[in-house]
């Protein structure tokens, strides 16, 4: 009986599948061709037209004439504008991306950009945009990538980014943003965060380790506080951490050794003190390590130089007094200007002696300098 039931229902299932496929084909054929959709017959493209024309009016210099063809209702043919099927209506074309990278455009960003509610990618790097990001930015609820790097944007940290539910890539580097960075940015599910080369001035928050990012770059800004022990919680995701030349004054917490997926660690040009934690020998994926130009001392742990993928280790301009022979066999090593006996180009003996006579540095459980009697 089971066999008979199966043989009678299979043709019915096949017929239903054919019916659904036929209906889908009819639905698709009922959609107007994307090429025929313009601002004159598509409300989404009409809103995009308003936004793009507002942006064009804000342009004060366009040496490459990138926006010279931004005329007429066919916005999908504008240079740097990319259309796709709307996520909630496959029959409707919509503006899904804007890419004006390396355009050298001088302009400000209008509030009308908030009309581009289907925008997933906004790439404006290497231009001369000034002013602030528009207050209407949170309306871009589908935005996945925001790249406004290498411009002249200013003002405080654009808090609107915290209201973008789908953003995964945030690049604000090489601008004139200033002030505090909200700790909440490290709670967002962002994959890449570039804040470097701005005028930000903030304390490294305890929730830094909540970030699921694979890349975090905090170089050439002003950071206060300590590298928090929570950094070890990023073990599963973090591939690159760059905190160079940012005024960090702390120890390196031992929890950093938990970052087993990290390939690049650059904390050079800061005020780090203490020793390199032995736990760094657990960082099996590490390829580049730069701790140069700090006030680190003691011996280089041999386990670091034994890391299987380490190719580039720079620890020059510190006060290290010993290094394993294994370190000198790395592909690229820089141990200049330390206090290592028998090695060339080291600090003068009087500098090393003066450093040795400083009060010893003690670090608390959080990687901060511990006051006397509290360690």
């Amino acid at each position: 009986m089971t066999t008979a039931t199966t043989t009678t229902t299979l043709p019915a299932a096949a017929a239903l599948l054919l019916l659904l496929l036929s209906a889908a084909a009819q639905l698709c054929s009922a959609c107007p061709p994307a090429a025929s959709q313009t601002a004159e017959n598509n409300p989404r493209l009409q809103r995009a037209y308003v936004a793009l024309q507002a942006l064009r009016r804000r342009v004060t210099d366009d040496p490459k004439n990138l926006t010279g063809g931004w005329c007429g209702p066919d916005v999908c043919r504008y240079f740097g504008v990319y259309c796709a099927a709307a996520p909630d209506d496959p029959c409707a074309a919509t503006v899904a991306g804007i890419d004006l990278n390396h355009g050298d455009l001088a302009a400000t960003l209008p509030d009308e950009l908030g009309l581009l509610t289907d925008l997933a990618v906004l790439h404006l790097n290497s231009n001369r945009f000034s002013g602030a990001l528009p207050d209407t930015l949170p309306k871009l609820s589908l935005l996945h990538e925001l790249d406004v790097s290498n411009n002249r944007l200013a003002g405080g940290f654009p808090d609107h980014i915290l209201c973008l539910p789908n953003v995964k890539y945030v690049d604000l580097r090489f601008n004139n943003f200033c002030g505090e960075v909200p700790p909440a940015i490290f709670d967002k599910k962002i994959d890449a965060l570039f804040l470097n080369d701005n005028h930000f001035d903030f304390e490294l928050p305890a929730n830094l380790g909540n970030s699921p990012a694979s890349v975090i770059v905090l170089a050439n800004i002003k950071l206060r506080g300590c590298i928090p022990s929570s950094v070890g919680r990023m073990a599963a995701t973090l591939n690159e951490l760059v905190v160079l030349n940012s005024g960090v004054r702390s120890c390196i917490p031992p929890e950093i050794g938990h970052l087993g997926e990290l390939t690049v660690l650059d904390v050079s040009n800061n005020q780090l003190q203490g020793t390199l934690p032995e736990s760094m020998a657990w960082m099996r994926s590490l390829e580049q390590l730069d701790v140069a130009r700090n006030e680190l001392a003691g011996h280089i742990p041999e386990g670091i130089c034994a890391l299987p993928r380490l190719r580039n280790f720079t620890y020059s301009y510190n006060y290290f007094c010993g290094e394993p022979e294994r370190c000198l066999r790395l592909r690229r090593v820089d141990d200049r200007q330390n206090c290592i006996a028998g090695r060339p180009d080291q600090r003068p003996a009087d500098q090393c002696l003066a450093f040795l006579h400083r009060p010893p540095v003690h670090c608390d459980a959080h990687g901060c300098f511990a006051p006397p009697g509290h360690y």
Side-chain angles (χ1 to χ4, degrees):
M1 182 176 293
T2 304
T3 304
T5 304
T6 302
T7 54
T8 56
T9 55
L10 275 176
L16 178 60
L17 179 59
L18 287 172
L19 183 63
L20 290 173
L21 289 173
S22 176
Q26 291 177 11
L27 179 63
C28 290
S29 64
C31 294
S36 68
Q37 297 186 47
T38 70
E40 293 179 333
N41 55 26
N42 179 322
R44 296 172 192 259
L45 298 182
Q46 169 60 28
R47 292 193 294 273
Y49 174 82
V50 173
L52 295 169
Q53 291 303 315
L55 176 56
R56 186 188 182 206
R57 288 193 296 272
R58 294 289 189 94
V59 174
T60 57
D61 188 25
D62 183 359
K64 299 181 181 180
N65 198 31
L66 302 185
T67 62
W70 283 23
C71 301
D74 196 355
V75 296
C76 294
R77 292 184 178 273
Y78 287 8
F79 178 86
V81 176
Y82 300 90
C83 292
D88 59 337
D89 183 355
C91 287
T94 191
V95 172
I98 296 176
D99 187 345
L100 296 172
N101 285 351
H102 303 281
D104 196 26
L105 291 166
T108 56
L109 297 170
D111 285 338
E112 287 85 350
L113 284 183
L115 295 171
L116 300 170
T117 52
D118 294 323
L119 200 67
V121 174
L122 181 58
H123 287 176
L124 302 175
N125 81 50
S126 304
N127 285 285
R128 288 176 283 150
F129 285 104
S130 58
L133 292 179
D135 291 337
T136 55
L137 193 68
K139 294 182 179 180
L140 308 184
S141 60
L142 299 181
L143 195 64
H144 189 269
E145 296 185 10
L146 174 65
D147 184 355
V148 293
S149 60
N150 197 22
N151 278 286
R152 301 174 183 178
L153 297 168
F157 180 88
D159 290 337
H160 321 310
I161 293 172
L162 300 176
C163 303
L164 297 173
N166 293 296
V167 70
K168 294 288 184 276
Y169 181 96
V170 175
D171 193 344
L172 306 181
R173 56 187 154 174
F174 294 102
N175 276 289
N176 296 311
F177 293 116
C178 62
E180 296 278 341
V181 170
I185 195 68
F186 298 106
D187 292 324
K188 284 191 69 66
K189 293 182 179 179
I190 292 174
D191 181 61
L193 180 63
F194 299 90
L195 302 180
N196 53 291
D197 295 273
N198 279 283
H199 303 296
F200 291 129
D201 181 350
F202 67 102
E203 185 168 343
L204 280 169
N207 69 326
L208 174 68
N210 291 354
S211 175
S214 62
V215 179
I216 296 179
V217 182
L218 304 175
N220 300 314
I221 56 179
K222 186 175 181 181
L223 295 175
R224 290 173 272 110
C226 314
I227 300 175
S229 58
S230 69
V231 69
R233 295 206 299 265
M234 294 188 278
T237 57
L238 192 61
N239 299 134
E240 296 186 20
L241 178 61
V242 180
V243 196
L244 71 90
N245 192 36
S246 293
V248 177
R249 188 173 183 272
S250 78
C251 305
I252 299 177
E255 289 82 3
I256 206 161
H258 296 310
L259 300 177
E261 300 299 316
L262 199 71
T263 60
V264 175
L265 175 61
D266 190 340
V267 290
S268 60
N269 255 325
N270 284 292
Q271 299 175 53
L272 299 176
Q273 297 186 32
T275 60
L276 292 180
E278 295 280 349
S279 62
M280 293 179 72
W282 306 339
M283 304 171 74
R284 306 286 294 175
S285 300
L286 200 60
E287 299 174 7
Q288 298 180 46
L289 174 59
D290 193 341
V291 297
R293 296 183 183 276
N294 282 287
E295 297 177 23
L296 296 165
H299 290 259
I300 302 290
E302 183 164 4
I304 294 178
C305 296
L307 288 169
R309 298 184 182 178
L310 189 63
R311 298 292 180 269
N312 187 337
F313 186 11
T314 303
Y315 46 96
S316 53
Y317 292 90
N318 280 285
Y319 293 90
F320 292 113
C321 59
E323 62 188 346
E325 184 68 25
R326 181 190 291 266
C327 295
L328 303 179
R329 295 198 294 268
L330 293 171
R331 179 179 298 175
R332 183 165 181 244
V333 64
D334 186 351
D335 65 355
R336 292 172 299 143
Q337 292 298 303
N338 278 285
C339 300
I340 304 171
R343 291 292 297 160
D345 197 9
Q346 298 295 296
R347 292 181 182 274
D350 58 338
Q351 283 188 19
C352 294
L353 286 171
F355 182 84
L356 286 174
H357 283 90
R358 289 187 192 178
V361 171
H362 297 281
C363 305
D364 63 20
H366 304 289
C368 298
F369 300 141
H374 292 78
Y375 44 85

